[in-house]
Amino acid sequence: MTTETRINDRIRVPEVRLVGPNGEQVGIVRIEDALRLAQEAELDLVEVAAAARPPVCKLMDYGKFKYESAQKARESRRNQQLTVIKEQKLRPKIDKHDYETKRGHVRRFLEGGNKVKVTIMFRGREQSRPELGYRLLQRLAEDISDLGVVEAAPKQDGRNMTMVIAPTKKPTKKPTAQSQESETEAEATVEPTA
């Protein structure tokens, strides 16, 4: 199946349901008549619903139609939020200072608006004590509860235990150099009243 829109001579059916350039229904006409009407109006015959019986075709400027649909697609991509999952790996017997460092990384990721996958890696005999990893993940979830919520509860997956944390609010935008300059200019223009 091709996704490209068929136009003019590429439409190979005996008759089509024709829609005029202003959206008015012309009716079911032979393909030759539809092509002649398109030529007379200096427009293209564009197939808009190929699955219909007979196919629905519209008289329009195809170049303008392609341009507008590309603009809509670009606009929808611009408004799309890209979700990034960051990963932080821990061990069950992590030192206090190392834990605080890793917790800081998780906080930074959540402040940036990213999801965080926290993985506890078990080695050797540690695998027989999954409750250590579970407690560590619960502690981490409590420590960062102001920034994120647990999206996927801790679960054992072979030698690893994973948990996914999602941010609770939108990322905070860092002030750019231009916005800082405009703020200082605004402060400079305000004159104190006596």
Side-chain angles (χ1 to χ4, degrees):
M1 292 289 297
T2 128
T3 57
E4 190 173 332
T5 308
R6 294 189 296 186
I7 61 169
N8 298 333
D9 295 331
R10 292 190 181 142
I11 304 171
R12 304 218 182 269
V13 291
E15 56 186 20
V16 295
R17 181 176 303 276
L18 188 63
V19 178
N22 298 324
E24 70 276 1
Q25 294 285 332
V26 176
I28 298 175
V29 296
R30 291 185 12 240
I31 189 69
E32 297 84 15
D33 297 335
L35 287 169
R36 184 180 43 76
L37 286 171
Q39 271 184 337
E40 288 172 2
E42 294 182 1
L43 295 171
D44 296 307
L45 183 66
V46 181
E47 188 176 54
V48 291
R53 289 291 160 240
V56 179
C57 294
K58 185 173 181 181
L59 296 175
M60 66 172 80
D61 183 359
Y62 185 64
K64 185 177 177 183
F65 169 73
K66 271 182 70 171
Y67 174 75
E68 288 172 353
S69 61
Q71 290 288 10
K72 285 179 188 173
R74 189 176 300 121
E75 187 66 30
S76 67
R77 278 196 306 272
R78 185 178 302 140
N79 293 334
Q80 202 172 40
Q81 177 93 23
L82 185 65
T83 304
V84 179
I85 297 182
K86 302 281 190 172
E87 185 171 17
Q88 190 64 58
K89 294 186 175 185
L90 307 169
R91 296 289 314 280
K93 296 179 181 175
I94 191 168
D95 187 55
K96 182 182 176 195
H97 181 265
D98 293 337
Y99 170 78
E100 290 171 1
T101 304
K102 300 279 186 172
R103 184 185 63 199
H105 293 317
V106 171
R107 290 184 76 81
R108 189 180 75 229
F109 294 150
L110 290 171
E111 286 169 355
N114 299 314
K115 290 184 179 182
V116 182
K117 178 181 176 183
V118 184
T119 304
I120 306 279
M121 301 177 297
F122 296 100
R123 267 201 224 146
R125 292 183 186 170
E126 293 173 347
Q127 292 181 36
S128 64
R129 305 279 311 275
E131 67 275 2
L132 292 175
Y134 184 78
R135 273 189 258 148
L136 183 61
L137 289 175
Q138 292 293 32
R139 180 173 145 208
L140 181 65
E142 289 171 14
D143 289 348
I144 53 95
S145 61
D146 58 327
L147 291 174
V149 294
V150 176
E151 188 175 81
K155 71 174 186 177
Q156 186 83 27
D157 183 30
R159 296 175 143 223
N160 300 327
M161 182 178 281
T162 59
M163 174 176 78
V164 178
I165 303 170
T168 53
K169 56 187 175 190
K170 298 285 182 199
T172 56
K173 294 197 175 189
K174 295 179 182 174
T176 60
Q178 289 179 342
S179 64
Q180 288 176 347
E181 288 175 7
S182 63
E183 286 175 12
T184 55
E185 288 174 8
E187 290 172 4
T189 57
V190 175
E191 296 178 15
T193 56

